Amino acid sequence: MQLFRALAACSLFVGAFAQQSLEQLIQGNPNLTEFESLLKAFPNVYKNLSSATDITIFAPGNAAFAQLNYTVLAPAFDSYNIDFQRELIRYHVAVGVHPSGSFSGGSFSFLPTLLTNQSTTNVTGGQVISVVEQAGNNFVTVSGLGTRASVTELDMVFNGGVLHIVDGFLIPPLDLTASSPSFNLTSAPAAFIAAPSILTNYVDIAEDLTIFAPNNDALQSIASSFSSMTVQDFTALVEYHIVPSNTTVYYSANLPNGAVAQNGSVYNTTTLTSLQGGNLTITFVANSLFVNQARVIQQDLLLSNGVLHIIDSVLDPNATNVAANPQDPGPVQVVPGSSIPGNMLPFTTDLPTSTSILFSLVTPTPTMTANGSSETGDGSAATSTVAGPLSTSKGWGERVEVGTGGTGIVLGALIWVLGFI
């Protein structure tokens, strides 16, 4: 019933106020001149957005373009990478009408976007962005690499939906290996790589994954135990931190949050099945989220194929009955072991000496738009000082080798995504 009311309210919102087209709205706002130039570089995209219905656009304002050279997106524009620019535009368009009133309450909303190209995302229904209302009626978007952008102008209605202006670009999420350095997470991704039964790059390419990754301190605190584990035990341990799915990514909105249902029950616990096969008990208590005994200390970090939640201790598939203890402020260690000399991080030597990134070339195949029409995605070779001429770069189909370490991994992924060499 509440969902029906929300949808009805959104329809009434657009129906009551929408008198202008998308082109009229953009042309009439002096803060959208750069965004208009970008859209005009892709006439097919602009045309389809103009005729689409039930969409929400998070449009980068002129201030966002002024800061573009200082972001990870700069190479895509410097090299006139039209393939990536086209997908970037789609990532700024959410499915459905989402006025600011739908974000109230302080809880994150996760909105599927028109970014569905499997060369850049592997999330059912389209890669998401998250939006939340913070104190003072301030609205913030969160995208890949934990990138935050503030909404500076709200609820500009056009005949196909609503547009909000943001002060920064939304960054399409990268995979776990590439994203982890931005989250100060190095041991966990290396452990996934080291586990021999994990398929090559499984955590980076499998669809709709939810990953509960122990932070560096958690793995370092039990580092001595890993050398005595059998291959089977270590593999089971790693797989126990991964929740696969073909349809559902478990963002915080899909996990217990203490919400009171209409029947009076409180949604404070649920069970998920791990890749290892054992159950994970998710508990919301004392305003904190727990996975078995581990406290979630950072949640909803978007990945190209799902979501990452960072936890403060290592999960043990042989200790599934250890309950959450909100009274204990420190990590609860259930895997026996101790730190290794020099506080060295385990598994970091298992990071690959080079990152080989090979994905399918993005080709101009027909793509269904929000209103059901098709688009060839040919990039429309219109001249623009923003998007530039048709790119002659190698594109996304090339194999790229880069150096070891956090910076190298991020650079390698960005080279794949941006296709600038």
Side-chain angles (χ1 to χ4, degrees):
M1 179 63 70
Q2 290 180 338
L3 176 60
F4 174 79
R5 288 174 179 170
L7 292 174
C10 289
S11 298
L12 289 173
F13 178 85
V14 174
F17 297 102
Q19 300 293 331
Q20 60 184 334
S21 67
L22 177 62
E23 294 97 325
Q24 290 171 330
L25 169 59
I26 292 176
Q27 291 170 2
N29 191 305
N31 196 20
L32 292 175
T33 55
E34 295 290 344
F35 185 59
E36 181 184 20
S37 296
L38 177 60
L39 289 177
K40 285 183 175 180
F42 299 92
N44 286 344
V45 175
Y46 198 4
K47 177 182 177 181
N48 284 310
L49 289 180
S50 299
S51 60
T53 57
D54 295 327
I55 61 173
T56 300
I57 301 176
F58 292 88
N62 291 345
F65 283 85
Q67 297 297 316
L68 186 58
N69 286 337
Y70 305 101
T71 73
V72 296
L73 300 177
F77 287 84
D78 291 341
S79 64
Y80 308 126
N81 187 333
I82 62 171
D83 289 325
F84 177 76
Q85 290 179 32
R86 186 189 306 113
E87 299 306 316
L88 182 64
I89 293 172
R90 289 173 174 148
Y91 187 52
H92 286 74
V93 183
V95 178
V97 178
H98 304 283
S100 60
S102 64
F103 306 131
S104 61
S107 298
F108 278 91
S109 298
F110 297 88
L111 312 180
T113 70
L114 298 187
L115 180 60
T116 58
N117 192 313
Q118 291 188 352
S119 294
T120 56
T121 186
N122 204 5
V123 174
T124 298
Q127 183 57 262
V128 305
I129 59 173
S130 61
V131 186
V132 65
E133 181 186 14
Q134 297 185 330
N137 198 36
N138 295 314
F139 295 85
V140 175
T141 65
V142 184
S143 55
L145 303 179
T147 305
R148 299 168 70 86
S150 296
V151 182
T152 57
E153 296 185 48
L154 292 164
D155 298 330
M156 286 169 281
V157 180
F158 60 98
N159 54 17
V162 63
L163 182 147
H164 310 293
I165 298 181
V166 289
D167 65 359
F169 277 85
L170 310 182
I171 309 297
L174 302 177
D175 59 39
L176 173 69
T177 305
S179 299
S180 293
S182 295
F183 306 138
N184 193 30
L185 198 68
T186 51
S187 285
F192 294 140
I193 293 172
S197 79
I198 298 289
L199 298 175
T200 303
N201 295 328
Y202 175 81
V203 294
D204 287 338
I205 64 176
E207 183 180 23
D208 295 332
L209 288 189
T210 301
I211 300 174
F212 297 99
N215 63 4
N216 288 343
D217 289 343
L219 285 165
Q220 200 277 337
S221 67
I222 62 165
S224 65
S225 66
F226 295 119
S227 61
S228 61
M229 287 185 183
T230 65
V231 171
Q232 291 78 12
D233 288 343
F234 176 66
T235 300
L237 184 77
V238 171
E239 292 180 340
Y240 190 54
H241 291 75
I242 303 169
V243 177
S245 174
N246 293 324
T247 57
T248 303
V249 177
Y250 290 98
Y251 308 107
S252 60
N254 298 329
L255 295 174
N257 54 18
V260 180
Q262 289 183 344
N263 62 6
S265 63
V266 179
Y267 180 43
N268 59 8
T269 186
T270 193
T271 301
L272 303 179
T273 303
S274 71
L275 181 64
Q276 179 263 349
N279 288 335
L280 297 168
T281 300
I282 314 298
T283 306
F284 183 85
V285 60
N287 205 35
S288 294
L289 191 64
F290 291 84
V291 185
N292 292 359
Q293 88 294 337
R295 187 187 301 264
V296 177
I297 56 178
Q298 197 169 1
Q299 62 189 25
D300 296 324
L301 303 175
L302 303 181
L303 302 175
S304 58
N305 60 334
V307 69
L308 167 69
H309 305 291
I310 298 179
I311 54 180
D312 69 353
S313 60
V314 179
L315 306 173
D316 186 350
N318 299 311
T320 60
N321 294 324
V322 180
N325 181 10
Q327 306 304 319
D328 192 335
V332 178
Q333 183 173 301
V334 296
V335 178
S338 60
S339 61
I340 53 180
N343 289 325
M344 295 178 61
L345 293 175
F347 306 115
T348 51
T349 56
D350 290 307
L351 285 169
T353 55
S354 64
T355 302
S356 300
I357 303 171
L358 179 62
F359 284 84
S360 300
L361 178 66
V362 175
T363 54
T365 52
T367 303
M368 296 305 295
T369 62
N371 67 345
S373 62
S374 64
E375 174 193 323
T376 62
D378 60 2
S380 305
T383 302
S384 168
T385 57
V386 178
L390 187 65
S391 173
T392 57
S393 64
K394 292 182 180 179
W396 293 358
E398 300 296 327
R399 180 182 296 272
V400 179
E401 304 285 344
V402 298
T404 320
T407 302
I409 293 173
V410 172
L411 176 61
L414 288 174
I415 288 173
W416 159 62
V417 172
L418 304 178
F420 64 87
I421 68 170

